[in-house]
Amino acid sequence: MIKLCHLTSVHSRFDIRIFHKECASLARKGFMVDLVVADGKGDEEKSGVRIVDAGASKGRLDRMRHAPARVLAKALELDADVYHLHAPELIPVGLKLKKLAKRLFFGTHEDFSQQLRSEPYPSASARWFLSLSFVLQKCWDCRRFDAMLNVLLGKIVLCSYARRGSHREFVAHRQQSGLASLCHSQCGSSK
């Protein structure tokens, strides 16, 4: 049986998209699913998904600086076949997992470069520079991942198979199959 592990340091453990539409959907399809969160509420199991807590952060800066290392430690303990990252601050975690030959998806569900441009702090030119730097770094780092997932209009779009160097697209309606079809195409079997 394929073991999947979703990683987030930002989202709540019962985030509708991550927990309900992805993790619980995959568990119903017969996958072993773990969800690593960083909220300080402890470990639990719900809807066939094992939720593993990496501990709460003391604020935004503490989360960005320390949560990725805590999430990585939990991810390594779980030793999954496939990891799915849900936060850009976890890209370095993904790079470390790739060095261990793990299969890795990165889900970009928000436009982080746009969010950086709309932040009220630094100046407009600094926001533009940070946004561009983020996009370039993300493109460079994520080329090492197995796939980049984008959610567009209620569909999951697989933008690229990074390691294979091709740019095929795969579309699965979340309402019908969650990520089961995608995992089947990447790993060969859903059971």
Side-chain angles (χ1 to χ4, degrees):
M1 179 181 301
I2 295 173
K3 185 175 180 182
L4 306 170
C5 183
H6 288 253
L7 306 174
T8 184
S9 55
V10 178
H11 302 87
S12 74
R13 62 180 53 211
F14 299 121
D15 179 86
I16 290 175
R17 176 179 35 83
I18 296 170
F19 180 80
H20 294 285
K21 294 183 178 179
E22 294 182 25
C23 294
S25 172
L26 288 163
R28 283 191 302 273
K29 295 283 185 179
F31 290 93
M32 290 179 54
V33 182
D34 295 321
L35 170 62
V36 177
V37 296
D39 62 7
K41 296 178 181 177
D43 299 349
E44 68 177 294
E45 187 165 328
K46 183 174 180 179
S47 301
V49 178
R50 183 170 55 161
I51 301 169
V52 179
D53 187 7
S57 299
K58 295 178 179 112
R60 187 177 189 180
L61 184 59
D62 182 55
R63 186 197 77 222
M64 291 187 302
R65 292 181 65 204
H66 299 109
R70 293 192 314 267
V71 169
L72 175 62
K74 294 293 183 181
L76 292 172
E77 285 176 24
L78 296 170
D79 192 32
D81 301 309
V82 178
Y83 292 89
H84 183 162
L85 307 179
H86 290 278
E89 66 197 37
L90 296 178
I91 290 174
V93 169
L95 295 173
K96 290 174 183 169
L97 290 168
K98 281 309 298 174
K99 286 183 180 177
L100 299 172
K102 300 294 186 178
R103 287 193 177 268
L104 190 70
F105 297 168
F106 176 63
T108 57
H109 306 284
E110 297 90 7
D111 185 350
F112 295 106
S113 64
Q114 177 60 40
Q115 288 176 1
L116 285 170
R117 288 193 300 270
S118 62
E119 288 288 342
Y121 52 89
S123 67
S125 58
R127 288 192 308 262
W128 180 85
F129 177 76
L130 287 171
S131 175
L132 179 62
S133 298
F134 172 77
V135 168
L136 293 174
Q137 186 66 43
K138 181 176 118 181
C139 289
W140 175 258
D141 290 342
C142 292
R143 291 181 333 154
R144 296 175 182 95
F145 296 171
D146 294 292
M148 292 266 308
L149 302 168
N150 291 311
V151 175
L152 303 170
L153 304 174
K155 295 180 181 179
I156 296 173
V157 179
L158 176 60
C159 292
S160 66
Y161 290 96
R163 286 197 312 161
R164 293 182 184 89
S166 68
H167 295 285
R168 299 184 311 166
E169 289 192 355
F170 177 90
V171 179
H173 292 279
R174 278 192 297 188
Q175 297 86 343
Q176 294 175 357
S177 64
L179 290 175
S181 298
L182 175 60
C183 291
H184 179 76
S185 71
Q186 278 291 298
C187 305
S189 172
S190 64
K191 304 242 178 182

